[in-house]
Amino acid sequence: MPEVNGKDEVKILAFLCNWCSYAGADLAGVSRLQYPPNVLDIRVMCTGTISPYHVIKAFQMGIDGVLIAGCHIGDCHYIKGNYMTYKRFQVMRDVLEFICIDEDRFRLEWVSASEGEKFADVVKGFTEQVEKAGPSPLRSGWEKDPAQWERIRNAFKPLEPV
Ligand code: FES
C-alpha cells in the first residue's frame, strides 16, 4: 500500500450504481475534478445488489472504508433497490459496529449522473473522514501486498455488469 507523508494511505472501496453514481464518477473524471485516487470503484447494476456479506468481505480484505453510492430515492431503475439499500444500511452499520468497525468507515450517498461535482466532494469528504479514523482494525498487514488490490477487484467482479 502506498505511503503518504510517512503514513499508510487509507484505501476505500466504492460500490457505485451503474445508472447514476458510476456515471457521476465518470462525469467527475471527464470534468477533470480533483478527488483522492485511493478509491477502488466497483460498478454494480443497482445498490440493492449489495449485501452485508459484500461490505464485511471488503473490510476483511483490508479495506479501510466502504462507500455505497446510488440513485436518489425515487430514481432507482429497479424501483425499490435504493429503498432496500437504505434499510440495509442501518442494519449493516450496527453489524459493523459489533465487529469494531466504526460508523465513520461506512457511508451511503445518493449521487446522480449529472452530479460529478457532488461525487468528487463525497469522495474527498469520506476519504478525510476515514483518514481521521486511521487504518481499519481488521487490517492484518497482508493488504500491503500490491497484488491484494487486484484480488479485491476480482472478488467483487461477479457484481459488475458484463
Ligand atoms: Fe441506482 Fe438502483 S439503479 S440505486
Side-chain angles (χ1 to χ4, degrees):
M1 178 179 283
E3 288 198 352
V4 176
N5 301 327
K7 298 183 299 189
D8 276 347
E9 182 188 67
V10 294
K11 202 74 182 171
I12 289 168
L13 191 76
F15 292 109
L16 306 177
C17 146
N18 180 58
W19 304 101
C20 293
S21 303
Y22 191 80
D26 205 33
L27 180 61
V30 169
S31 311
R32 296 175 187 265
L33 297 171
Q34 297 283 320
Y35 62 87
N38 50 329
V39 178
L40 180 60
D41 293 344
I42 303 292
R43 183 162 58 119
V44 297
M45 285 309 274
C46 173
T47 58
T49 61
I50 308 301
S51 78
Y53 167 77
H54 300 119
V55 175
I56 290 171
K57 187 177 177 76
F59 283 110
Q60 277 180 329
M61 294 189 85
I63 287 291
D64 301 300
V66 173
L67 169 69
I68 298 178
C71 307
H72 285 269
I73 291 292
D75 289 347
C76 174
H77 285 232
Y78 305 96
I79 318 292
K80 290 192 288 191
N82 53 7
Y83 286 104
M84 283 167 22
T85 305
Y86 181 71
K87 278 188 177 172
R88 275 187 204 144
F89 177 75
Q90 324 289 331
V91 177
M92 284 193 261
R93 229 176 20 190
D94 291 346
V95 171
L96 290 175
E97 205 181 335
F98 188 70
I99 58 168
C100 299
I101 297 292
D102 192 87
E103 65 178 57
D104 285 351
R105 298 182 185 280
F106 186 41
R107 189 184 282 194
L108 172 63
E109 290 282 346
W110 311 129
V111 179
S112 78
S114 62
E115 292 178 314
E117 207 164 314
K118 179 175 179 184
F119 180 81
D121 288 345
V122 163
V123 170
K124 270 187 233 160
F126 186 51
T127 301
E128 281 169 19
Q129 192 173 309
V130 176
E131 277 170 352
K132 254 188 220 157
S136 159
L138 296 191
R139 271 198 197 183
S140 57
W142 52 280
E143 69 283 346
K144 291 189 187 219
D145 175 358
Q148 180 63 2
W149 305 116
E150 201 47 44
R151 284 187 208 111
I152 292 172
R153 173 163 290 292
N154 288 337
F156 294 102
K157 222 170 186 69
L159 289 172
E160 296 195 310
V162 282

